[in-house]
């Protein structure tokens, strides 16, 4: 089955087009200043999750294709450092130049690494090769990379993150304008997603720690209450009891931490309730607000293409998958772009 008919990317309207009033060319005071084009706002979207094998890369590529179908210029950035694979989803060979060249300063501009793909309007920056110093970048290297992503000439940058909860993954997730947490209807995936949320929150409060010494307060509370790990809501309450100002700062961080949730590989009707259920559980158990972005139904032809290393183009997505994808993209684009995310 084929998906919706692709829409060609919108061409910018040339300067001077349209109807303008006539003026005497000899009257310089009547010269018309043509309006300047509005500055392009880049939206950075990070695709993460608590474990591997849940389809983060497939979500990244197909979301990029859907956004291009809507007339946007999109760059996919393979941030799975040491395990890059986005090129294979597009039927491409591993590029000669990758993120390694930027991290190791062999190229100065990240835009030099954007390569064209078989999908018009969709660019790709391939992930680093298996170099230890790239797979585990220093903090300043990550900041430099994130700032460079923010300067890409595109409408949307989609960051495909690696699996797990280590700092490299979590930092990219937190610094994006929108962090999408992908889960599948399996207990291990949900369990790891909660771990990811907690790890991301703990990483996020490091700025508060620098001002108030939150870490010392949390260690004090942990010792007082035994070895059971504290959930974020308990953490905020305990800190507020000892230091109201620090507690208020933590509450602000918690209120502004709103990851997006996407349920992938939906196969049964009962799977459709997982997203809203997890949002409610996160709110009740952790005090963290998740925003449910939607679901993507499992479609065999997509997964056959992935397993066979064939390109996943729009015509292979199937009607149900394409409709789900369109709904997810629509909800994403309705969200405002925060100004304070990227450092």
């Amino acid at each position: 089955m084929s998906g919706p008919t692709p829409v060609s990317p919108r061409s910018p309207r040339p300067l001077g087009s349209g109807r303008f009033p006539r003026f005497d060319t000899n009257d310089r005071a009547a010269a018309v200043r043509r309006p300047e084009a509005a500055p392009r706002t880049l939206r950075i979207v990070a695709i993460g999750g608590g474990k591997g094998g849940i389809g983060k890369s497939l979500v990244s590529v197909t979301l990029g294709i859907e956004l291009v179908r809507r007339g946007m210029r999109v760059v996919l950035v393979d941030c799975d450092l040491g395990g890059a694979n986005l090129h294979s989803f597009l039927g491409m060979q591993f590029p000669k130049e990758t993120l390694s060249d930027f991290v190791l300063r062999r190229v100065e501009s990240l835009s030099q690494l954007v390569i064209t793909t078989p999908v018009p309007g969709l660019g790709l920056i391939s992930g680093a090769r298996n170099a230890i110093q790239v797979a585990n970048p220093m903090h300043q290297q990550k900041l430099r990379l994130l700032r460079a992503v923010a300067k890409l000439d595109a409408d949307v940058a989609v960051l495909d993150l690696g699996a797990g909860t280590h700092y490299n993954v979590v930092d990219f997730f937190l610094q994006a304008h929108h962090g999408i947490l992908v889960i599948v209807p399996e207990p291990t995936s949900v369990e790891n997603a909660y771990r990811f949320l907690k790890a991301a929150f703990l990483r996020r409060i490091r700025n508060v720690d620098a001002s108030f010494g939150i870490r010392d307060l949390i260690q004090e509370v942990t010792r007082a209450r035994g070895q059971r790990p504290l959930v974020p809501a308990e953490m905020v309450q305990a800190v507020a009891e000892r230091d109201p100002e620090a507690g208020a700062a933590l509450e602000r961080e918690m209120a502004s931490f709103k990851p997006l949730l996407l349920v992938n590989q939906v196969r049964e009707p009962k799977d459709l309730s997982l997203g809203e259920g997890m949002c409610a559980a996160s709110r009740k158990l952790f005090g963290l607000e998740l925003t449910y972005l939607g679901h993507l139904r499992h479609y065999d032809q997509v997964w056959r293409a992935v397993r066979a290393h064939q390109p996943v183009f729009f015509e292979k997505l199937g009607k149900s998958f394409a409709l789900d994808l369109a709904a997810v993209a629509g909800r994403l684009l309705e969200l405002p772009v925060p100004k304070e995310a990227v450092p």
Side-chain angles (χ1 to χ4, degrees):
M1 298 179 68
S2 60
T5 303
V7 178
S8 300
R10 294 190 297 270
S11 299
R13 190 179 184 182
L15 288 177
S17 62
R19 296 182 179 180
F20 291 92
R22 292 186 177 183
F23 293 93
D24 184 353
T25 55
N26 294 321
D27 187 359
R28 293 184 180 180
V32 176
R33 184 186 297 273
R34 292 191 178 100
E36 296 182 359
R40 185 183 297 274
T41 300
L42 174 66
R43 186 187 297 264
I44 303 177
V45 181
I47 312 295
K51 68 188 293 286
I54 57 176
K56 294 187 300 296
S57 295
L58 179 63
V59 170
S60 299
V61 171
T62 54
L63 179 61
I65 292 174
E66 170 62 23
L67 295 174
V68 165
R69 193 185 71 85
R70 292 169 179 248
M72 298 181 175
R73 289 195 299 163
V74 181
V75 176
L76 299 175
V77 185
D78 200 331
C79 292
D80 189 353
L81 305 178
N85 64 353
L86 286 189
H87 58 281
S88 61
F89 283 82
L90 294 163
M92 302 169 63
Q93 296 295 319
F94 198 99
K96 294 181 180 179
E97 293 184 316
T98 70
L99 275 181
S100 301
D101 297 286
F102 180 79
V103 174
L104 300 178
R105 296 185 179 272
R106 289 195 284 260
V107 299
E108 287 302 316
S109 172
L110 197 61
S111 61
Q112 293 175 252
L113 300 176
V114 179
I115 59 175
T116 57
T117 72
V119 180
L122 182 67
L124 170 66
I125 297 176
S126 186
R129 295 179 184 271
N130 293 323
I132 294 176
Q133 66 269 40
V134 176
N136 299 282
M138 302 295 289
H139 182 66
Q140 289 303 319
Q141 290 176 316
K142 283 186 288 188
L143 289 181
R144 176 172 170 264
L145 176 56
L146 286 164
R147 292 184 183 121
V149 169
K151 294 177 182 177
L152 290 172
D153 185 18
D155 296 300
V156 183
V158 179
L159 314 184
D160 179 35
L161 307 184
T165 58
H166 51 80
Y167 286 161
N168 292 334
V169 172
V170 172
D171 284 347
F172 285 124
F173 187 86
L174 291 176
Q175 296 298 344
H177 295 129
H178 309 295
I180 300 179
L181 179 62
V182 178
I183 63 171
V184 295
E186 298 172 3
T188 53
S189 174
V190 173
E191 202 174 299
N192 283 309
Y194 284 128
R195 290 197 187 101
F196 185 94
L197 284 175
K198 184 176 179 181
F201 178 74
L202 291 174
R203 187 66 170 162
R204 184 182 174 96
I205 65 176
R206 68 190 185 280
N207 293 331
V208 181
D209 178 51
S211 301
F212 296 98
I214 299 292
R215 185 177 303 174
D216 293 338
L217 285 172
I218 291 174
Q219 289 177 349
E220 178 186 334
V221 171
T222 302
R223 284 193 298 269
R225 297 195 178 190
Q227 294 303 312
R228 182 181 65 85
L230 297 177
V231 300
E234 293 175 323
M235 207 175 293
V236 172
Q237 181 182 356
V239 169
E241 290 172 356
R242 288 161 172 75
D243 187 335
E245 190 178 0
L250 270 184
E251 285 182 358
R252 289 192 295 272
E253 285 297 316
M254 178 176 282
S256 61
F257 180 49
K258 295 182 179 179
L260 308 173
L261 181 67
L262 174 65
V263 182
N264 193 25
Q265 299 181 29
V266 167
R267 287 180 169 87
E268 301 177 8
K270 66 178 182 179
D271 295 340
L272 296 172
S273 63
L274 176 59
E276 294 291 356
M278 187 168 174
C279 289
S282 176
R283 192 180 307 115
K284 179 179 179 180
L285 299 176
F286 294 124
L288 295 177
E289 193 70 33
L290 275 173
T291 298
Y292 183 44
L293 196 60
H295 65 268
L296 295 175
R297 277 168 281 188
H298 177 83
Y299 183 56
D300 280 338
Q301 189 170 341
V302 172
W303 292 100
R304 288 196 194 101
V306 172
R307 287 193 292 269
H309 299 284
Q310 295 175 351
V312 183
F313 297 141
F314 201 88
E315 60 271 14
K316 290 187 178 181
L317 299 184
K319 184 176 181 181
S320 61
F321 188 98
L323 289 173
D324 292 343
L325 190 63
V328 166
R331 295 186 191 106
L332 177 67
L333 295 176
E334 288 175 358
L335 299 173
V337 178
K339 295 180 180 180
E340 71 280 358
V342 178

